[in-house]
Amino acid sequence: MNFFYPEHNVVFIHIPKNAGSSMHAALGGKKKGPIGGRLPKEWSNCPSFTIVRNPFTRFLSGLNMFRMGAVALNNDDFYSQPRLPDLTAAQAMDILEDHRIPYDRSRRQVRANLKHHLWLQTHPFSCLHLAGTVLRYENLEEDFQRFCDKHGINAELPHLRQTASIPEATAMDELSASDIERFQRLFIRDFTELGYSLDPSACNAPPGKTTAIPVSTVSSAARKACEAWPQYFFPGQSNDGDGLPDADIDLSAFLELPIPGPGTELWTKRLKNSIRHFKHLEPEFGGRSRLAHLLACTIVIIRRNSEDENARKLFWRIVSEYGQQVSEQLDSRWLTSVCDTVVDIAEKDIDRVLGLTGTLFSNTIKLTETYTRVFLPPVPWPPKKQYHSGGKLYDGIIAFWIQQGDAIGNLLDRIDVTLSVDSPVAPFVREIITHVIEHDNNLSRIMGIAGTKPRRIVKPEQRKKLKKFLEQL
């Protein structure tokens, strides 16, 4: 949450559990705020600063404050009482990973409040990328003094909200190995971008770089992505259009910027507000790039209005410029959605034909699996008995000769050749077929009975290398 102090003409970007209460006490006087997730335009030319902290000690500080309470700052201090007295580290991380609980204080509930206090320092909502100066908690007195000297601020820094010195406080050595591994995964961006060691034994040692962090080195991809898509990252921004960023933005920042957390189960509902809909989709893309999520958002808008020029242009830019990278990040649901969208809006026949190939392949498997799992009784696997020899199926079509036939291999070979054409849709179709072969379904099961090893459809660049190698031989 962000504040402006008129007396000092300074903006304090308050990332929770990073000496914020002490900093407010030091600056004193009247302040404007809090403003969440953004900075008002009238503050943009003022000196601004924030504080970052070792992710381990920050997490423990927040955990202990909600578990035991902290030193009261006034008679009505909410945090002076234990709000979640039985809270464990694992439960706190469960809350962090629960996409139904907001992190932006849009819901006034204790668990949402805890998530707000523990949320990533490098997440766009924390506004780290908007800070002119970044101070280290571990070197705060010296860093803050240098900042004050530079901007002519007369302030003395107290130390409030202490919890670590309480005997009952949870300490680092009480966390299990699985807790630590999970925490490192959840906060990997904070560790890497802020320069802190992943070694929990070093959490109380000063970081490798003890001086204030140059703002130019802090999350440049996050800064670019936020500037390109403010209506998504900054609550309160106007959203008069389709909710998407402009189609001419720099997409490279979205490719470089991962979405925190693990991927969650798919979300299939529909919300009228496009931004809210996009945010509900985001947890499904945890661990993948924001470009993959942005592609899904363009598909949502095209489904609602196939004539939306901005959405169509953005969709084709992602597919054409970053199709290879993004296709490898999508599951079969979104790969098929890409192909469906291509069929609906493609201008080139070859793109539409390839899109139809992908969606037919995926949906044919879906239809056979639906029939098998909904209407047929479960059977042991692998099957112990063959009841029929195959033979005629319908209209001149005969069954695959599973044990000796090569029809499946021939089919995949023909698809492989077809995908060698020059089309941005090819990587998405290739991944659809690869996912089908690698997962449990009728095709992969028949290939297993026939003794056919799983295979990946060859990518064009791999085909060129192989051809060149054979020519050299």
Side-chain angles (χ1 to χ4, degrees):
M1 308 301 277
N2 308 315
F3 300 83
F4 174 63
Y5 282 86
E7 180 182 345
H8 304 296
N9 191 40
V10 68
V11 174
F12 173 43
I13 296 174
H14 179 183
I15 300 176
K17 302 313 303 171
N18 289 358
S21 298
S22 299
M23 192 57 62
H24 285 301
L27 294 173
K30 294 182 179 180
K31 62 178 181 285
K32 295 181 180 180
I35 301 292
R38 64 185 180 90
L39 293 183
K41 290 183 179 179
E42 58 268 26
W43 298 1
S44 59
N45 293 324
C46 302
S48 60
F49 74 100
T50 192
I51 305 165
V52 297
R53 184 178 186 179
N54 185 295
F56 282 126
T57 58
R58 177 175 177 265
F59 175 77
L60 290 175
S61 177
L63 174 73
N64 286 319
M65 184 176 76
F66 277 80
R67 194 173 69 84
M68 301 184 305
V71 177
L73 300 183
N74 53 59
N75 293 334
D76 300 321
D77 192 343
F78 177 85
Y79 301 107
S80 64
Q81 300 297 320
R83 297 299 171 179
L84 295 169
D86 299 321
L87 183 67
T88 65
Q91 290 169 344
M93 285 185 277
D94 289 341
I95 291 171
L96 281 168
E97 292 192 281
D98 190 338
H99 68 277
R100 297 168 298 180
I101 301 175
Y103 55 79
D104 59 1
R105 276 194 161 173
S106 58
R107 189 183 304 165
R108 293 293 181 175
Q109 295 177 349
V110 173
R111 283 172 173 76
N113 199 8
L114 172 69
K115 188 170 186 175
H116 172 76
H117 277 77
L118 300 181
W119 199 236
L120 278 76
Q121 300 170 86
T122 51
H123 188 273
F125 181 80
S126 298
C127 293
L128 173 64
H129 58 288
L130 299 178
T133 301
V134 181
L135 315 181
R136 296 274 192 190
Y137 179 93
E138 296 78 9
N139 199 42
L140 187 54
E141 289 189 7
E142 293 84 349
D143 281 358
F144 183 55
Q145 189 59 57
R146 279 193 293 269
F147 180 81
C148 290
D149 293 342
K150 179 179 178 180
H151 297 285
I153 298 173
N154 183 18
E156 185 175 345
L157 188 66
H159 188 185
L160 308 176
R161 291 267 189 235
Q162 300 182 52
T163 57
S165 59
I166 301 175
E168 296 81 10
T170 300
M172 180 56 62
D173 57 10
E174 296 178 51
L175 270 61
S176 67
S178 60
D179 284 340
I180 292 174
E181 182 180 359
R182 181 184 181 190
F183 181 83
Q184 291 167 331
R185 173 176 54 81
L186 286 175
F187 287 85
I188 187 63
R189 278 186 58 199
D190 279 10
F191 283 108
T192 56
E193 293 188 22
L194 302 181
Y196 288 98
S197 171
L198 284 164
D199 182 0
S201 65
C203 66
N204 291 317
K209 185 176 182 182
T210 57
T211 57
I213 307 171
V215 68
S216 60
T217 67
V218 177
S219 193
S220 60
R223 184 183 303 108
K224 291 178 182 177
C226 292
E227 291 172 352
W229 201 5
Q231 64 269 44
Y232 182 82
F233 290 110
F234 302 144
Q237 294 285 314
S238 61
N239 180 27
D240 299 329
D242 55 19
L244 294 171
D246 185 84
D248 294 321
I249 60 168
D250 178 5
L251 294 174
S252 62
F254 288 81
L255 182 64
E256 297 171 14
L257 189 62
I259 292 177
T264 63
E265 293 184 1
L266 60 87
W267 180 77
T268 58
K269 297 180 181 179
R270 173 175 175 146
L271 296 176
K272 183 177 181 180
N273 182 283
S274 57
I275 294 294
R276 288 186 60 210
H277 190 106
F278 299 162
K279 287 185 178 292
H280 276 75
L281 284 178
E282 179 178 312
E284 189 177 334
F285 291 85
R288 290 174 274 181
S289 73
R290 287 205 171 272
L291 192 59
H293 172 244
L294 180 57
L295 178 60
C297 295
T298 67
I299 293 173
V300 169
I301 297 302
I302 293 172
R303 288 281 190 278
R304 297 182 180 190
N305 178 13
S306 61
E307 300 302 319
D308 188 308
E309 288 299 324
N310 185 64
R312 290 167 68 112
K313 183 176 180 180
L314 191 55
F315 172 85
W316 280 115
R317 277 201 62 205
I318 298 173
V319 169
S320 301
E321 298 175 25
Y322 296 96
Q324 188 63 62
Q325 299 96 316
V326 173
S327 64
E328 295 175 356
Q329 300 179 31
L330 300 179
D331 59 17
S332 294
R333 174 198 181 194
W334 287 106
L335 289 166
T336 306
S337 293
V338 169
C339 289
D340 289 341
T341 306
V342 168
V343 173
D344 292 340
I345 69 171
E347 296 181 357
K348 295 181 179 179
D349 289 341
I350 184 61
D351 295 336
R352 185 175 290 109
V353 168
L354 280 183
L356 187 60
T357 300
T359 193
L360 277 176
F361 195 95
S362 179
N363 282 295
T364 299
I365 297 296
K366 181 178 178 179
L367 284 169
T368 62
E369 282 303 298
T370 300
Y371 175 74
T372 300
R373 302 191 186 201
V374 174
F375 296 107
L376 299 183
V379 295
W381 189 260
K384 299 180 180 179
K385 184 177 181 180
Q386 181 174 330
Y387 292 94
H388 303 283
S389 59
K392 295 180 181 180
L393 297 177
Y394 70 94
D395 197 29
I397 299 295
I398 60 174
F400 284 119
W401 191 1
I402 295 176
Q403 284 78 7
Q404 299 184 38
D406 57 1
I408 294 177
N410 290 340
L411 169 65
L412 296 177
D413 287 339
R414 292 185 181 105
I415 294 174
D416 198 0
V417 172
T418 302
L419 294 179
S420 65
V421 301
D422 183 18
S423 169
V425 187
F428 297 90
V429 182
R430 185 178 299 111
E431 287 298 323
I432 283 177
I433 298 168
T434 300
H435 285 214
V436 168
I437 294 172
E438 292 178 344
H439 288 80
D440 180 32
N441 52 67
N442 283 329
L443 177 61
S444 62
R445 288 192 288 270
I446 289 176
M447 291 177 68
I449 295 173
T452 305
K453 295 182 179 180
R455 54 184 282 186
R456 288 190 69 88
I457 301 300
V458 180
K459 299 176 182 178
E461 60 270 21
Q462 295 171 330
R463 186 190 304 276
K464 291 178 182 177
K465 290 180 181 178
L466 180 61
K467 183 178 179 181
K468 184 177 180 181
F469 177 70
L470 292 175
E471 288 174 351
Q472 290 174 345
L473 288 178

